[in-house]
Amino acid sequence: MTFLAKPKLHHPTLPKNKLGFTRRDYEGKVSTLCAGCGHDSISAALIQAFWELDIQPHRVAKMSGIGCSSKTPDYFLGQSHGFNTVHGRMPSVLTGANLANRDLIYLGVSGDGDSASIGLGQFAHVMRRGVNMTYILENNGVYGLTKGQFSATADKGSKAKKGSINADSAIDTVSLALLMGATFVARSFSGDKHQLVPLVKAAIAHQGAAFIDVISPCVAFNNHAGSTKSYEYIREHNEAVNRLDFWPTREAITVDYSAGGVIEVPTHDGSILKLRKLHEDYDPSDKINASAMIASAAVKGEVLTGLLYVAPDAEDLHAHLNTYETAFNTLGEKELCPGSAMLEKINAGLR
Amino acid sequence: MKTATRIEAVNDFVIKFANVNGSGSASANELFAKAFLRMGIPVSPRNIFPSNIQGLPTWYEVRVTEQGHLGRRGGVDLMVAMNPQTWNADVKEVDAGGYLFYDNTKPLPPSKFRDDINVVGMPLTEICNATYENPRERQLFKNIIYVGALAGMLGMEPEVIAELIGEQYKGKEKLLKPNLNALQLGLNYAREHLKDALGLKTKRAYNVGEKIFIDGNSAAALGCVYGGATVCAWYPITPSSSLAEAFTFYCSKLRVDKATGKQKYAIVQAEDELASIGIVTGAGWNGARAFTATSGPGISLMQEFIGLAYFAEIPVTIIDVQRGGPSTGMPTRTQQSDVTTCAYASHGDTKHVLLFPEDPNECFQFAAEALDLADRLQTPVFLMTDLDIGMNQRLTAPFKWDDSRRYDRGKVMTAEMLEAGKEFGRYLDVDGDGIPFRTYPGTHPNKGAYFTRGTSRNPYAVYSEAGPDYQYNMQRLLKKHDFAKTLVPKPVLTPSKEPARFGIIYYGSTSPSMHEALEALATQGVFINALRIRAFPFQDEIFDFVASHTKVFVVEQNRDAQLKTLLVNDAGINPASLISVLHYDGTPITARFIQKEIAEIVSALNVRPIKKDKAA
């Protein structure tokens, strides 16, 4: 963390996006996390992604649970409303918020304790409902805020800072998200900005439940030898299935990309996802193959990263519920109250 | 065998049906109850059912009451004994001189009967077997046949029942005719074989008037539709499930946009009560009106979120259809036993707003009111109904809605207000009522955003563990709760006809039995002023009422005198001035119980009713 707030004055040459905002306009308060924390890199990637997508910061709602990761929404998008809810229950609050106003962009930020332990139930159900959101799990395999206990994503056999060995099986959140029906499932590494930023952008554009598990080493409690979520371990065991280029449709596609190595995935909002394939045979629309790849990588001790699965025809909860196009929080008596004449009819039917 | 006396009554008796759950008896029994209403005679039916879908005993009790006493009376004048499993207990329950109606296809030994009641047999199975081939039909039409026979014996108007059957099977002609035939079979049998079998009779009356017949859960659901709820999240739990289902039904009729076919509502059956209250909290935070319906165990699970909504000041409406607790308790029985747990729900210092409706009409009114109050006060508001109100159809005043009424969205700061330079402090008390302004997410590009959290903060929503910041906030929350007194429904006073030194406080579903008991006590020369509390926090009228009586009875349907606890602990009322009268066996409180308890206590206090000479 930094102890000195950055000056508010911008350097005049700072690049601006289409809205005229610099990256600084997407920042929040000064982080209170430990220096070198992976979570701060994720915050930086989120800032970059929102800036690049020309999204008005105040049209984003940031939701989180409890824990180190859940504190981070205070550290980016300072002009957005944020809601630090209760431990493990962010998904339900996000679901309700999304139902109340379908016009905002919903970003859920959670940690492995928050999502895989206390909140595993809500994590599963928010995926099956297909809530339109970007769900970022900042996964460090450890309880940071309570000083170093194993979380449910800690690998079996991994070693805690104080020396104890984890005997419980790990919960693999990407496999679970796939199984539960998430329509966009990715995994990345907080230290790999080039992979993470396009993934976040694609997740935001995705009209459905988008999940990104981001391995984010805890410098204080899970960055030692014997840990399977340290910077060193992940760098050595990272196996990327693809690199992503993402262009929203509102921008002309001018980037020159190498033919043959790219697969185009149209998304629901009309944007085009382009996957720069590192593995020639990797098709992210094949759900069964995705599950198999994740499992076989795990056996080899590899962490498979990239866009693992995307359903181009994804639908969200509003589509399932056939809800009205106008945000509920703007509707008044005129749209909602059936009135006294109708009540008279109802009374007559009850006699 | 001695001859039993015969209870003789016109338009004033209790009939109890003993059935097997899942045998199709419920709709036949409901038809029977409604027929009285069409004859202008008030009825008060109650389902007494087990936590079971098929096979266990279930009862339906119909109180026919020309005087309009809608509470449970107690006692049975006519038992319709259709369940061999419960035969002995059912026979035992009949009042002396009462009647036992049963299927005498198979003869029963005399030891199975009582000699002080009148036995009326009818070969129902024999008639059904002779008329119908299909076993399912034999069972279903048996119910309609006994309805026909009862109607014949009681002298009910058969056209009225035929009309009801016609309404029920409108457009389903295939079902209409056989049902009418079954009804006629019963009527004919009664005319031929059971003339004057019962001393219970009916005749047309004019005491129903404009009243409507509906259960409290449906009424509350309709209140949520009228009150502008757009988000409902719930988890199935008896006795509240039918509330969410009724909301779904009414929304499908009243809230679908004609042009697009899109729904102006979202209903989510959540994975548990934690998720349902979470969804409601998220929707409330984002400016939509949202509610959940649950019962005691659900309230227990929701505690953490209720604390968050209280502390972060988020409008939330919770409808608690109370049942017997603690734990799983008596899931299909009624109680008022969540009062203190809701008043102080969640850890830390909390206090919530509670509303206590007495009947379906108030369920409708208060549900809409709760949505306004939650927005105005930015806090959880509890609508405290119970199984007795929620799951039984009750005769109630027709619903009313004033079309000029506007939803009270409370203090919401708009983009225009922010643009005009109005100061925004999310937790700042701007005008002394303790209620701060809020902004909806997405309101303004660079003004009015704030971070919502369950941790302590300063008036500008900035994280703070400083003592003065914390205390400012907690004091403001207290002030806000106190201010709620000016908004919630006031208590209703029923003064006695003669000056009274005793008072009685009651609330919720106790109401109809209380009114009946007060009338009966007055005829005994016991005069009591009655005050029905309709909300917590308590208004000054309640203090004044207690202060102006020597003793005040507090009548409740729980073991621990929960409302009394609130009166003593929260309102500072001297406990020595209060006497608890408690009914908590899971059945609805009866007028007979209240009357007996009060009369005994009054007599024990050795207080002569004042101005006895003037007593009626």
Side-chain angles (χ1 to χ4, degrees):
Chain A
M1 69 176 284
T2 359
F3 292 92
L4 293 172
K6 285 195 245 178
K8 297 233 173 191
L9 283 172
H10 296 175
H11 194 279
T13 61
L14 272 181
K16 290 181 176 171
N17 64 10
K18 270 173 62 181
L19 300 171
F21 289 133
T22 69
R23 267 181 289 260
R24 299 294 312 277
D25 296 313
Y26 290 79
E27 289 175 357
K29 292 206 170 66
V30 175
S31 169
T32 61
L33 301 175
C34 308
C37 178
H39 296 359
D40 283 334
S41 310
I42 299 170
S43 296
L46 290 167
I47 289 166
Q48 182 72 21
F50 281 103
W51 178 78
E52 286 182 15
L53 286 173
D54 306 314
I55 289 169
Q56 291 197 307
H58 76 290
R59 301 304 292 171
V60 182
K62 309 169 291 185
M63 325 293 287
S64 63
I66 296 290
C68 291
S69 55
S70 291
K71 289 167 79 170
T72 64
D74 212 9
Y75 315 143
F76 56 84
L77 297 180
Q79 298 305 334
S80 307
H81 276 67
F83 195 167
N84 200 178
T85 66
V86 291
H87 201 15
R89 319 288 174 206
M90 172 275 282
S92 63
V93 181
L94 190 151
T95 303
N98 185 301
L99 290 173
N101 182 2
R102 61 189 302 169
D103 296 337
L104 298 183
I105 290 166
Y106 293 90
L107 177 68
V109 178
S110 183
D112 40 309
D114 203 53
S115 284
S117 292
I118 189 168
L120 191 66
Q122 294 213 344
F123 172 79
H125 287 276
V126 81
M127 297 305 165
R128 32 182 300 266
R129 289 198 183 97
V131 178
N132 186 7
M133 61 174 178
T134 298
Y135 192 121
I136 308 276
L137 197 162
E138 305 190 348
N139 187 356
N140 57 16
V142 72
Y143 282 79
L145 214 48
T146 52
K147 302 191 174 175
Q149 301 82 3
F150 283 120
S151 89
T153 63
D155 286 313
K156 195 170 183 171
S158 66
K159 198 172 163 190
K161 195 174 183 185
K162 286 175 185 163
S164 58
I165 304 293
N166 180 35
D168 299 341
S169 296
I171 290 173
D172 180 36
T173 54
V174 290
S175 298
L176 190 61
L178 264 182
L179 192 65
M180 289 300 137
T183 44
F184 180 109
V185 178
R187 172 172 275 157
S188 190
F189 174 46
S190 63
D192 187 353
K193 190 176 160 186
H194 297 293
Q195 186 190 45
L196 182 55
V197 173
L199 277 177
V200 172
K201 287 165 70 180
I204 292 166
H206 182 74
Q207 301 293 296
F211 174 62
I212 310 177
D213 179 82
V214 189
I215 311 287
S216 174
C218 174
V219 287
F221 298 106
N222 210 3
N223 198 30
H224 46 269
S227 157
T228 57
K229 296 218 167 23
S230 65
Y231 278 111
E232 204 178 331
Y233 185 92
I234 296 298
R235 287 222 168 89
E236 276 175 18
H237 295 79
N238 185 359
E239 171 73 8
V241 289
N242 46 35
R243 292 262 176 221
L244 202 68
D245 291 329
F246 175 76
W247 293 279
T249 42
R250 53 188 179 271
E251 259 180 31
I253 300 166
T254 52
V255 183
D256 184 27
Y257 53 90
S258 56
V262 170
I263 179 170
E264 291 196 2
V265 186
T267 71
H268 202 266
D269 73 342
S271 309
I272 306 288
L273 263 182
K274 290 182 190 297
L275 298 171
R276 195 171 299 279
K277 288 171 59 180
L278 293 186
H279 288 216
E280 286 299 319
D281 54 350
Y282 195 77
D283 172 8
S285 66
D286 184 344
K287 193 168 173 175
I288 294 165
N289 181 48
S291 286
M293 290 281 286
I294 295 164
S296 60
V299 169
K300 287 185 270 178
E302 287 175 359
V303 182
L304 204 60
T305 62
L307 178 59
L308 303 169
Y309 174 67
V310 63
D313 57 348
E315 273 189 349
D316 82 326
L317 181 60
H318 282 281
H320 299 158
L321 296 176
N322 190 30
T323 47
Y324 200 50
E325 297 294 343
T326 314
F328 285 167
N329 69 353
T330 64
L331 303 180
E333 302 83 8
K334 200 169 139 281
E335 297 91 352
L336 300 177
C337 185
S340 63
M342 178 56 79
L343 198 55
E344 278 308 311
K345 275 191 202 164
I346 294 170
N347 282 331
L350 296 169
R351 288 185 179 120
Chain B
M1 207 174 177
K2 73 173 184 185
T3 330
T5 55
R6 281 164 61 96
I7 295 175
E8 304 282 341
V10 179
N11 288 359
D12 184 17
F13 45 83
V14 173
I15 303 178
K16 191 168 182 175
F17 296 85
N19 298 103
V20 178
N21 216 9
S23 65
S25 58
S27 58
N29 295 347
E30 193 189 316
L31 179 79
F32 178 72
K34 275 186 128 174
F36 290 96
L37 296 177
R38 292 289 171 95
M39 288 176 66
I41 313 161
V43 285
S44 172
R46 281 178 170 77
N47 277 302
I48 303 152
F49 60 100
S51 187
N52 161 263
I53 299 302
Q54 197 177 41
L56 285 189
T58 178
W59 294 268
Y60 189 70
E61 198 177 276
V62 181
R63 180 177 187 185
V64 178
T65 162
E66 186 171 346
Q67 287 176 295
H69 290 138
L70 302 181
R72 185 169 183 236
R73 188 196 72 180
V76 175
D77 300 310
L78 166 60
M79 177 67 75
V80 180
M82 293 294 144
N83 186 356
Q85 282 174 282
T86 58
W87 175 271
N88 291 343
D90 293 337
V91 170
K92 205 174 154 194
E93 207 185 338
V94 182
D95 284 8
Y99 306 86
L100 174 74
F101 177 79
Y102 80 114
D103 181 355
N104 66 359
T105 304
K106 272 190 182 169
L108 285 171
S111 64
K112 285 285 177 190
F113 298 94
R114 273 165 58 187
D115 57 10
D116 62 339
I117 58 171
N118 307 284
V119 177
V120 184
M122 175 174 172
L124 280 166
T125 305
E126 193 185 305
I127 296 172
C128 286
N129 290 355
T131 319
Y132 305 103
E133 287 292 317
N134 177 331
R136 173 100 186 120
E137 284 187 344
R138 284 176 179 170
Q139 176 58 50
L140 288 180
F141 290 123
K142 190 185 197 175
N143 300 322
I144 299 295
I145 292 170
Y146 75 59
V147 166
L150 291 171
M153 289 189 285
L154 293 164
M156 295 170 75
E157 298 170 17
E159 315 79 67
V160 157
I161 305 177
E163 178 187 272
L164 284 164
I165 293 178
E167 288 169 24
Q168 191 178 342
Y169 296 107
K170 203 175 163 186
K172 299 171 192 161
E173 302 303 321
K174 256 191 177 168
L175 293 169
L176 175 63
K177 218 162 160 244
N179 271 286
L180 288 175
N181 289 344
L183 179 74
Q184 200 57 49
L185 266 177
L187 278 165
N188 292 346
Y189 187 89
R191 269 187 206 139
E192 285 165 35
H193 306 281
L194 302 171
K195 218 162 194 277
D196 290 324
L198 303 178
L200 313 173
K201 294 292 171 202
T202 56
K203 66 165 200 268
R204 183 161 276 271
Y206 301 92
N207 286 358
V208 172
E210 287 298 292
K211 285 189 178 142
I212 58 171
F213 191 56
I214 189 173
D215 62 281
N217 282 354
S218 297
L222 190 61
C224 289
V225 174
Y226 271 75
T230 48
V231 176
C232 164
W234 66 293
Y235 185 75
I237 181 171
T238 305
S240 74
S241 306
S242 63
L243 202 159
E245 284 161 359
F247 185 71
T248 310
F249 170 78
Y250 282 124
C251 282
S252 72
K253 302 279 174 202
L254 303 170
R255 280 278 194 79
V256 177
D257 182 55
K258 285 204 179 79
T260 59
K262 300 264 183 193
Q263 302 180 347
K264 292 176 194 166
Y265 62 95
I267 300 165
V268 178
Q269 185 189 316
E271 60 269 31
D272 53 28
E273 285 88 345
L274 285 77
S276 49
I277 188 71
I279 290 168
V280 170
T281 304
W285 174 77
N286 215 358
R289 293 196 152 185
F291 77 97
T292 184
T294 188
S295 192
I299 295 289
S300 291
L301 288 169
M302 292 177 185
Q303 298 283 313
E304 189 183 22
F305 259 120
I306 293 168
L308 173 71
Y310 173 78
F311 199 46
E313 299 182 65
I314 294 162
V316 163
T317 298
I318 299 165
I319 303 175
D320 179 6
V321 189
Q322 298 168 88
R323 64 190 217 181
S327 188
T328 308
M330 294 200 285
T332 59
R333 308 289 154 152
T334 195
Q335 260 182 9
Q336 299 175 317
S337 53
D338 298 343
V339 177
T340 43
T341 203
C342 288
Y344 301 128
S346 204
H347 57 272
D349 292 325
T350 59
K351 275 191 209 201
H352 306 293
V353 175
L354 316 181
L355 306 180
F356 304 107
E358 66 165 344
D359 66 1
N361 183 282
E362 280 192 350
C363 283
F364 172 80
Q365 279 186 53
F366 288 7
E369 187 72 31
L371 293 159
D372 270 354
L373 285 167
D375 266 353
R376 166 57 51 183
L377 295 163
Q378 298 175 27
T379 201
V381 174
F382 292 80
L383 181 64
M384 307 292 290
T385 80
D386 60 28
L387 183 143
D388 188 36
I389 307 177
M391 288 191 72
N392 291 308
Q393 287 179 303
R394 185 76 56 84
L395 204 58
T396 194
F399 301 136
K400 283 203 172 69
W401 189 264
D402 176 359
D403 288 325
S404 68
R405 176 173 171 171
R406 293 290 161 262
Y407 297 151
D408 179 0
R409 302 310 312 264
K411 291 181 186 166
V412 179
M413 202 170 278
T414 61
E416 293 72 35
M417 291 158 83
L418 291 163
E419 202 55 49
K422 201 168 156 81
E423 185 192 16
F424 176 65
R426 174 63 185 100
Y427 297 108
L428 189 65
D429 183 7
V430 282
D431 51 15
D433 61 9
I435 307 169
F437 268 91
R438 62 177 180 141
T439 51
Y440 295 160
T443 295
H444 191 279
N446 51 31
K447 294 184 175 79
Y450 67 95
F451 203 72
T452 307
R453 42 163 70 87
T455 42
S456 62
R457 80 303 299 226
N458 71 15
Y460 296 90
V462 176
Y463 180 83
S464 168
E465 288 180 19
D469 281 339
Y470 174 78
Q471 279 194 329
Y472 167 85
N473 200 46
M474 291 300 280
Q475 284 301 317
R476 187 178 52 72
L477 288 171
L478 207 53
K479 193 194 275 181
K480 182 167 90 167
H481 190 257
D482 200 51
F483 177 72
K485 286 177 190 171
T486 64
L487 303 175
V488 296
K490 286 197 180 302
V492 178
L493 177 72
T494 307
S496 72
K497 284 189 189 127
E498 300 289 334
R501 58 176 71 149
F502 292 115
I504 196 159
I505 282 175
Y506 65 104
Y507 59 101
S509 65
T510 303
S511 191
S513 292
M514 179 59 71
H515 288 283
E516 188 183 350
L518 290 171
E519 280 175 33
L521 285 163
T523 62
Q524 289 177 255
V526 179
F527 296 102
I528 302 174
N529 292 318
L531 190 71
R532 181 164 67 88
I533 290 183
R534 300 200 292 170
F536 175 72
F538 302 127
Q539 302 94 333
D540 291 345
E541 285 90 335
I542 297 163
F543 296 83
D544 297 344
F545 181 82
V546 176
S548 60
H549 294 91
T550 340
K551 292 277 180 194
V552 173
F553 298 99
V554 185
V555 180
E556 309 191 47
Q557 301 186 52
N558 59 59
R559 186 193 69 179
D560 290 348
Q562 298 192 10
L563 191 90
K564 182 185 157 206
T565 305
L566 288 187
L567 287 167
V568 172
N569 286 359
D570 212 89
I573 287 173
N574 179 4
S577 59
L578 304 177
I579 303 169
S580 276
V581 173
L582 304 168
H583 182 278
Y584 57 93
D585 67 359
T587 61
I589 194 168
T590 62
R592 287 178 181 180
F593 171 85
I594 299 171
Q595 186 190 348
K596 183 170 163 282
E597 290 286 309
I598 301 286
E600 272 174 16
I601 299 170
V602 167
S603 147
L605 287 168
N606 201 18
V607 177
R608 299 168 67 84
I610 48 176
K611 296 188 182 174
K612 199 177 179 188
D613 52 324
K614 281 189 184 171

